[in-house]
Amino acid sequence: MVFNDTVDINTTIVAGSVTTSRGTVTAGQQGGRQIQVSVGNLAPNAGVTINYRVKVNPRVPAATSRIRNQGLVTALGVAGVATDDPSTSTAGDPT
């Protein structure tokens, strides 16, 4: 299983901030906009926690009212599954 995320165009990943409770961070530790974590196999009902910080870029367009983000989890033989904002009841919505 692999987690991928391209953060919002108005943000940048804080270098060294990507952590995972399982697997290996394969992209994102140098900053930039792309995160990838190779999680490996998970048993049924098992979980993984991936944390990272971003900073808001200094020149965000004045018309920007929101900064949103959504990752994607992929696995061999399984269609990609988008991450979901846990603070809403809407399925599949970005944070």
Side-chain angles (χ1 to χ4, degrees):
M1 177 179 346
V2 177
F3 170 80
N4 285 286
D5 189 359
T6 301
V7 298
D8 187 282
I9 190 104
N10 294 304
T11 65
T12 304
I13 300 161
V14 175
S17 71
V18 185
T19 63
T20 181
S21 63
R22 180 181 180 97
T24 305
V25 177
T26 54
Q29 287 296 41
Q30 305 306 316
R33 292 193 47 236
Q34 179 66 40
I35 294 170
Q36 185 175 68
V37 176
S38 179
V39 175
N41 296 327
L42 282 180
N45 298 314
V48 61
T49 301
I50 299 167
N51 292 302
Y52 52 92
R53 293 182 301 137
V54 299
K55 64 180 177 180
V56 176
N57 296 336
R59 293 180 194 89
V60 175
T64 302
S65 62
R66 230 184 274 200
I67 292 177
R68 301 181 87 173
N69 189 59
Q70 190 164 37
L72 185 69
V73 177
T74 57
L76 187 62
V78 178
V81 177
T83 58
D84 182 42
D85 184 348
S87 67
T88 71
S89 60
T90 304
D93 60 331
T95 54

